[in-house]
């Protein structure tokens, strides 16, 4: 897709400048999983939590942003086609990475020695992962078989809801004071998400706030509403040199807030979702408008390509890190750690480039 000189995206509704931000969020998760080699100055736990929250919010924003251009009434047939399209895109690589992770599970050994009793609970968990159901089961095994698969389990639930959510957005917008209706719903979703996290603060936060699929609905739907509102109001934003400068400053401020929020103090119950809501929504809102100089930079081919392979990189990287760790390389000083991270990242990106399909029109 090519953008116009005003920063407004072409008719396929894809804001290409957001792709590099997707890659940056992937790097946050990558550093957490490679934390044994990550610089101590980076709070990698915070980075991973913000990155994951960004993925959910961006997925929702992309749905709402593109939906504005081609609104259609809900139909069951289109719902099925939408889910089939998502499965074709996600499942083949997801299954391959889940299957590869069997190597690190002990299951092959138990099968070879015919110790099926020991293998049984792991095979049941493997079946949950293959069916993308692991994030619905409390107990800690949702991170098994590749670690990152729980996200796919949760996002597929949100994709299942997406056609209904789009229909709701459309109905809100078509009513009197439609734009205000969307703003009200946006505020409600943030308030409900904050309230949910506060109410569940004394429970198992890792499950109820991080993994449990309905817990991420607020981020996803807020992102969808934001994307729809931005696209609906984009023509109202004026052009001109002054606007370009102003949005460049806003883009820089959004990036600084996004990075700076990693180091800001926050209440412990806000760690999984709440603390990251405003930085992620503000960042996505500013960059989705696409009016600043930093947007122009992020639309460059290299940055777009890195974003385009983020999904494949996300599914690949954990098994690569685990495989690299089996060589016995641990923390080895600044340069040794930098080499380990760079090696694993380079291998991840090379494989992702081989697997990823380029977007049409590129």
């Amino acid at each position: 897709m090519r953008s116009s000189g005003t920063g407004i995206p072409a008719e396929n509704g894809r804001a290409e400048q957001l792709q590099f931000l997707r890659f940056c969020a992937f790097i946050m998760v990558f550093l957490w999983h490679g934390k044994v080699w990550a610089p101590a100055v980076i709070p990698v736990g915070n980075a991973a939590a913000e990155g994951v929250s960004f993925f959910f919010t961006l997925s929702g924003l992309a749905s709402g942003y593109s939906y504005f251009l081609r609104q259609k009434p809900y139909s069951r047939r289109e719902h099925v086609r939408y889910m089939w399209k998502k499965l074709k895109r996600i499942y083949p690589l997801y299954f391959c990475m889940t299957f590869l992770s069997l190597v690190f599970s002990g299951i092959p050994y138990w099968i070879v020695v015919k110790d099926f009793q020991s293998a049984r609970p792991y095979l049941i968990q493997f079946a949950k992962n293959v069916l993308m159901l692991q994030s619905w089961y409390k107990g800690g095994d949702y991170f098994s078989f590749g670690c990152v698969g729980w996200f796919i389990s949760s996002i597929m639930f949100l994709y299942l809801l997406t056609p209904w959510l789009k229909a709701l957005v459309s109905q809100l917008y078509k009513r009197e004071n439609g734009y205000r209706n969307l703003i009200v719903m946006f505020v409600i979703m943030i308030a409900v998400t904050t309230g949910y996290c506060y109410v569940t603060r004394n429970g198992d936060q890792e499950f109820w706030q991080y993994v449990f699929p309905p817990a991420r609905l607020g981020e996803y739907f807020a992102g969808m509403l934001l994307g729809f509102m931005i696209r609906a109001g984009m023509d109202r934003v004026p052009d001109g040199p002054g606007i370009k400068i102003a949005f460049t400053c806003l883009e820089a401020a959004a990036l600084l807030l996004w990075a700076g929020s990693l180091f800001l103090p926050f209440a412990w119950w806000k760690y999984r979702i709440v603390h990251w809501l405003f930085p992620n929504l503000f960042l996505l809102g500013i960059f989705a408008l696409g009016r600043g100089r930093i947007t122009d930079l992020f639309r460059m081919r290299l940055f777009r390509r890195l974003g385009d392979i983020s999904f494949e990189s996300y599914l690949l990287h954990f098994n690569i890190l685990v495989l690299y760790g089996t060589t016995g390389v641990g923390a080895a000083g600044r340069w040794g750690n930098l080499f380990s991270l760079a090696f694993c990242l380079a291998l991840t990106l090379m494989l992702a480039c081989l697997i990823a399909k380029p977007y049409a029109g590129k």
Side-chain angles (χ1 to χ4, degrees):
M1 182 197 80
R2 296 189 182 277
S3 57
S4 67
T6 63
I8 299 175
E11 287 305 306
N12 65 9
R14 183 166 174 254
E16 293 179 326
Q17 65 274 15
L18 300 181
Q19 288 298 93
F20 184 64
L21 295 175
R22 188 194 303 269
F23 177 76
C24 292
F26 156 68
I27 292 296
M28 291 175 169
V29 177
F30 176 84
L31 288 174
W32 166 245
H33 292 147
K35 57 184 175 291
V36 66
W37 305 299
V41 69
I42 301 177
V44 291
N46 290 357
E50 184 175 42
V52 168
S53 182
F54 177 88
F55 285 144
F56 283 112
T57 308
L58 175 60
S59 296
L61 181 135
S63 294
Y65 191 96
S66 61
Y67 178 62
F68 178 82
L69 295 176
R70 40 184 181 270
Q71 298 178 52
K72 297 179 180 179
Y74 173 82
S75 76
R76 189 176 302 175
R77 183 176 182 180
E78 287 299 318
H79 198 152
V80 172
R81 288 180 62 183
Y82 173 81
M83 288 304 298
W84 177 241
K85 182 179 178 181
K86 291 296 183 183
L87 281 170
K88 286 198 302 181
R89 159 81 170 134
I90 292 172
Y91 196 74
L93 183 58
Y94 168 77
F95 177 80
C96 288
M97 288 299 100
T98 303
F99 194 79
L100 176 61
S101 65
L102 283 172
V103 173
F104 312 112
S105 69
I107 289 177
Y109 170 78
W110 288 318
I111 291 177
V112 168
V113 300
K114 300 180 181 180
D115 186 0
F116 299 111
Q117 188 63 31
S118 297
R120 184 175 181 273
Y122 294 91
L123 288 171
I124 292 174
Q125 182 61 45
F126 177 72
K128 293 177 183 177
N129 286 51
V130 168
L131 296 172
M132 298 184 292
L133 297 174
Q134 67 269 42
S135 60
W136 293 93
Y137 291 88
K138 189 173 181 294
D141 291 334
Y142 33 73
F143 292 144
S144 60
F145 297 103
C147 188
V148 299
W150 74 269
F151 175 83
I152 303 300
S153 174
S154 295
I155 199 69
M156 287 304 296
F157 166 72
L158 298 176
Y159 287 151
L160 181 64
L161 299 181
T162 294
W164 291 313
L165 295 176
K166 287 179 177 179
L168 174 58
V169 170
S170 183
Q171 288 300 313
L172 290 171
Y173 189 63
K174 289 176 181 177
R175 292 179 181 177
E176 185 179 358
N177 300 315
Y179 207 87
R180 187 176 65 182
N181 295 337
L182 298 179
I183 294 174
V184 170
M185 180 59 72
F186 178 78
V187 173
I188 288 173
M189 292 311 300
I190 293 175
V192 168
T193 300
T194 302
Y196 171 81
C197 290
Y198 184 77
V199 168
T200 58
R201 68 191 185 282
N202 294 322
D204 182 353
Q205 288 188 32
E206 182 178 81
F207 178 74
W208 292 113
Q209 295 184 16
Y210 193 68
V211 175
F212 187 53
R216 313 311 298 236
L217 178 59
E219 297 155 282
Y220 184 82
F221 192 36
M224 182 184 294
L225 290 163
L226 179 62
F228 192 95
M229 288 189 291
I230 287 172
R231 201 63 189 85
M234 188 170 284
D235 293 337
R236 305 175 190 176
V237 180
D239 279 321
I243 296 296
K244 193 79 168 179
I245 294 172
F247 269 96
T248 300
C249 293
L250 284 172
E251 288 172 356
L255 288 171
L256 287 173
L257 176 63
W258 200 44
S261 62
L262 300 176
F263 302 91
L264 295 176
F266 52 84
W268 55 274
W269 60 271
K270 297 180 178 180
Y271 170 62
R272 302 294 178 180
I273 296 177
V274 177
H275 182 68
W276 319 114
L277 280 173
F278 181 73
N280 281 330
L281 288 167
F282 182 62
L283 180 79
L284 286 168
I286 293 299
F287 274 92
L289 286 166
R291 297 303 182 96
R293 294 292 182 189
I294 302 178
T295 283
D296 295 339
L297 176 65
F298 286 178
R299 285 196 181 118
M300 292 176 63
R301 185 178 182 85
L302 172 62
F303 294 120
R304 286 190 287 115
R305 184 57 179 160
L306 288 172
D308 291 345
I309 62 173
S310 293
F311 168 73
E312 290 78 11
S313 299
Y314 180 79
L315 286 182
L316 287 167
H317 80 278
F318 186 78
N319 281 333
I320 289 174
L321 287 166
V322 172
L323 183 61
Y324 183 81
T326 62
T327 64
V329 178
R334 181 182 301 174
W335 293 110
N337 292 343
L338 180 61
F339 170 80
S340 294
L341 286 173
F343 181 87
C344 292
L345 180 60
L347 182 57
T348 298
L349 296 180
M350 285 189 291
L351 291 175
C353 282
L354 292 174
I355 294 169
K357 295 180 179 179
Y359 283 93
K362 288 183 65 179

